[in-house]
Amino acid sequence: MELSDELLQQIDDYLNNRLAPDARAEFEAQMTSRPVLQTEVATQRRLLNTMATLKTKQKLKEAYQQYALEAAQTPKVRPLPWTTYAVAASVVGIMVTAAYFATNWFKPNTEVAFNQYYQPEVGARGDCPQDLPAFKLYEQKQYQAALVAAQALSDDSTHCISYFIGLNFLATNQFGNAILALQVAQQSSNLTTRRKAAWYLGLAYLQANDAPQAERVFRKMVSENDPENPYLRPATNILKQFF
């Protein structure tokens, strides 16, 4: 797929969080209708993360070279005490450790986080009617069939259908569509649906490898500090482990 310069700039602005909320939503809507664009965005995000990691490794290398140069220029009048060697070894150890984390943990490992915390919602029916065929398909793990059945339904005031559709998109790895559906579900008048939608929206951002947006969702959840929210603790754990 050959992309225009304008679209490439949009991708760059999207990945670097330079788009206004309306423009971001419009761009995500484009990704929903253009799977190839989703793939391109994911590719560009991986490139950005790789470049960031390489830059950090280069800085560590330069710092070590500077340290080695200064050490070589230090007059050797007498043997250095063991404490000096211990300090030098500590510096080298810190740099080696930092290099390791720069390679592996410079950015939040969104795939690991998603796989560790994602589980299909058991009570996916929520506040919706309990006899809809779509829910039975979901419980049988026929997510694609459940998605088709749910999309034929009209949403109600609790936005439970949008929430349910988002869950099926998430289960079928359609992260762009999952994000859009769960954003709609967050407008629900039902507190339980809003809580669930927020949790799975954060996971959808993880699945999309969009760490900044995932962090924003989880931090908002934690900042509300609602002890009745069952997702407060896992959101807190995600922030501690991956951000």
Side-chain angles (χ1 to χ4, degrees):
M1 173 184 176
E2 186 173 348
L3 303 176
S4 66
D5 291 340
E6 180 181 0
L7 190 54
L8 287 171
Q9 183 61 52
Q10 279 187 303
I11 293 174
D12 185 66
D13 291 340
Y14 176 76
L15 293 176
N16 288 283
N17 297 309
R18 291 193 294 262
L19 293 179
D22 291 346
R24 186 179 186 86
E26 183 179 346
F27 185 79
E28 288 176 342
Q30 286 190 57
M31 285 197 291
T32 300
S33 59
R34 301 173 66 180
V36 179
L37 180 58
Q38 285 189 20
T39 301
E40 182 65 25
V41 169
T43 300
Q44 294 297 328
R45 182 179 283 114
R46 285 194 296 271
L47 288 174
L48 281 176
N49 289 332
T50 300
M51 290 173 63
T53 299
L54 290 174
K55 286 180 181 178
T56 299
K57 292 175 70 176
Q58 180 61 28
K59 288 181 180 178
L60 289 168
K61 180 180 178 181
E62 291 171 358
Y64 177 77
Q65 289 175 339
Q66 181 63 28
Y67 164 78
L69 178 62
E70 292 176 358
Q73 292 174 346
T74 302
K76 296 180 174 59
V77 178
R78 57 186 174 82
L80 295 174
W82 70 269
T83 52
T84 303
Y85 289 109
V87 170
S90 298
V91 171
V92 173
I94 290 171
M95 288 185 173
V96 170
T97 302
Y100 171 81
F101 280 101
T103 303
N104 297 280
W105 297 106
F106 177 76
K107 63 182 180 64
N109 194 323
T110 55
E111 182 179 358
V112 172
F114 176 81
N115 290 334
Q116 181 172 335
Y117 284 91
Y118 170 71
Q119 290 183 352
E121 173 62 52
V122 177
R125 301 183 181 211
D127 297 295
C128 295
Q130 300 296 299
D131 57 351
L132 295 175
F135 295 123
K136 295 179 181 179
L137 292 169
Y138 181 89
E139 291 165 357
Q140 294 168 1
K141 299 184 179 181
Q142 299 183 42
Y143 302 122
Q144 190 59 47
L147 178 60
V148 173
Q151 287 176 316
L153 304 171
S154 59
D155 200 359
D156 59 11
S157 59
T158 63
H159 295 85
C160 68
I161 300 299
S162 291
Y163 170 66
F164 182 70
I165 287 174
L167 290 182
N168 281 282
F169 276 132
L170 198 56
T172 54
N173 298 316
Q174 300 180 61
F175 51 83
N177 290 333
I179 288 170
L180 293 176
L182 292 168
Q183 285 175 336
V184 172
Q186 279 198 299
Q187 301 171 17
S188 173
S189 59
N190 183 278
L191 179 59
T192 300
T193 300
R194 291 200 306 272
R195 286 171 176 167
K196 290 182 177 182
W199 169 248
Y200 283 100
L201 177 61
L203 293 180
Y205 278 125
L206 287 177
Q207 191 190 42
N209 197 23
D210 192 340
Q213 288 299 318
E215 181 180 10
R216 177 186 61 80
V217 171
F218 294 130
R219 286 206 184 281
K220 182 177 184 298
M221 193 179 302
V222 171
S223 68
E224 291 171 351
N225 196 28
D226 180 0
E228 300 298 322
N229 188 344
Y231 302 107
L232 176 60
R233 177 173 292 183
T236 302
N237 291 339
I238 284 181
L239 291 174
K240 288 180 179 179
Q241 286 181 261
F242 298 99
F243 294 94

